């Protein structure tokens, strides 16, 4: 298995609170990604990073910010969580050239 | 939008080969075909990918038609642990992003 650790694995919080999810990799991959998965929508890309301090938006980036201060960590922040952000969040690494992305086990986030 | 079409669900008897089809009729010359699967509550798992030649690894075989408009993922001896949603994805070489469609829910029957 690819060396990807997502934390926390589960979180319940209230609307309006800030939330940060962490993705940690031990594979030294340049590329890292954050997806969310919802029933009826499949996996959708939120943000991705192509190097330290280099990030870009995906298709559903509104309400989310990311940071990558070192190769191994990619943080996803919900500045003021809303109920519509209740979802399962997956981190992925790799994907350079034709190489596949590899996914973490996900974080289940519930916003009440 | 996803560039692939897959049947929403399929059944396969345990021990038999599972053949999962995928249509990608608008694929272009620099697009690869990737297959992933997602077992309930887990992250998507990479299976195999190819450009135009057939590919085989320890998990599966990928058969791509000569015109590249369709492909088939073959699990040679399906087990109950192969029950999952299987995603067929086309991706341009060098593109940072992959787009997941709805996939095929494969049920392995004992």
């Amino acid at each position: 298995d690819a060396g990807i650790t997502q934390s926390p694995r589960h979180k319940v919080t209230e609307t309006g609170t800030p939330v940060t999810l962490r993705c940690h990799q031990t594979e030294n991959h340049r590329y890292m990604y954050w997806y969310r998965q919802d029933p009826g929508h499949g996996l959708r890309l939120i943000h991705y990073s192509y190097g330290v301090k280099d990030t870009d938006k995906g298709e559903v980036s509104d309400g989310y910010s990311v940071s990558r201060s070192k190769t191994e960590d990619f943080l996803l922040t919900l500045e003021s969580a809303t109920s519509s952000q209740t979802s399962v969040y997956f981190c992925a690494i790799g994907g350079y050239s034709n190489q596949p992305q590899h996914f973490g086990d996900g974080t289940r986030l519930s916003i009440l | 939008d996803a560039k692939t079409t897959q049947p929403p669900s399929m059944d396969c008897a345990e021990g038999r080969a599972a053949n999962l089809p995928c249509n990608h009729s608008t694929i272009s010359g620099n697009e690869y075909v990737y297959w992933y699967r997602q077992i309930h509550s887990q992250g998507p798992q990479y299976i195999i990918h190819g450009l135009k030649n057939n590919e085989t690894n320890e998990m599966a075989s990928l058969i791509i038609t000569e015109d590249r408009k369709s492909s088939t993922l073959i699990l040679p001896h399906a087990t109950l642990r192969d029950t999952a949603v299987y995603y067929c994805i086309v991706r341009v070489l060098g593109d940072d992003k992959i787009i997941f469609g709805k996939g095929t829910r494969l049920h392995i029957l004992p």
Side-chain angles (χ1 to χ4, degrees), chain A residues 6 8-10 88-91 103-108, chain B residues 41-43:
Chain A
Q6 291 188 232
R9 294 294 315 279
H10 303 271
V88 182
Y89 291 86
F90 290 101
C91 173
F103 288 77
D105 289 331
T107 293
R108 188 172 297 274
Chain B
S41 298
Q42 298 181 19

Side-chain angles (χ1 to χ4, degrees), chain A residues 13-34:
Chain A
T13 191
E14 295 182 348
T15 300
T17 60
V19 177
T20 295
L21 308 183
R22 180 182 184 234
C23 179
H24 178 79
Q25 60 143 333
T26 58
E27 306 296 318
N28 201 36
H29 273 296
R30 181 179 163 195
Y31 284 78
M32 298 184 74
Y33 309 78
W34 277 107

Side-chain angles (χ1 to χ4, degrees), chain B residues 44-98:
Chain B
Q45 178 188 22
Y46 164 75
I47 301 173
I48 200 167
H49 75 284
L51 182 62
K52 54 184 179 181
N53 297 322
N54 298 337
E55 302 287 345
T56 295
N57 63 20
E58 65 279 3
M59 290 182 67
S61 294
L62 173 60
I63 308 298
I64 302 175
T65 58
E66 192 168 341
D67 63 7
R68 301 187 70 239
K69 293 184 184 299
S70 65
S71 61
T72 301
L73 178 75
I74 302 172
L75 309 177
H77 304 287
T79 71
L80 296 176
R81 289 178 295 180
D82 293 319
T83 293
V85 178
Y86 287 77
Y87 298 96
C88 170
I89 297 159
V90 295
R91 177 186 166 212
V92 175
L93 176 65
D95 193 349
D96 299 329
K97 301 174 285 296
I98 56 177

Side-chain angles (χ1 to χ4, degrees), chain B residues 10-65:
Chain B
M10 293 181 62
D11 293 337
C12 179
E14 189 176 18
R16 304 297 294 268
N19 295 273
L20 292 95
C22 180
N23 181 285
H24 32 80
S25 58
T26 61
I27 195 169
S28 57
N30 62 347
E31 288 184 311
Y32 283 74
V33 179
Y34 292 77
W35 283 84
Y36 286 80
R37 72 180 182 183
Q38 189 171 22
I39 297 169
H40 181 62
S41 298
Q42 298 181 19
Q45 178 188 22
Y46 164 75
I47 301 173
I48 200 167
H49 75 284
L51 182 62
K52 54 184 179 181
N53 297 322
N54 298 337
E55 302 287 345
T56 295
N57 63 20
E58 65 279 3
M59 290 182 67
S61 294
L62 173 60
I63 308 298
I64 302 175
T65 58

Side-chain angles (χ1 to χ4, degrees), chain A residues 47-57 66-68 74:
Chain A
H47 281 280
Y48 66 103
S49 169
Y50 45 94
V52 173
K53 297 193 188 328
D54 290 324
T55 64
D56 206 348
K57 296 179 179 180
V66 290
S67 65
R68 184 124 178 250
F74 192 30

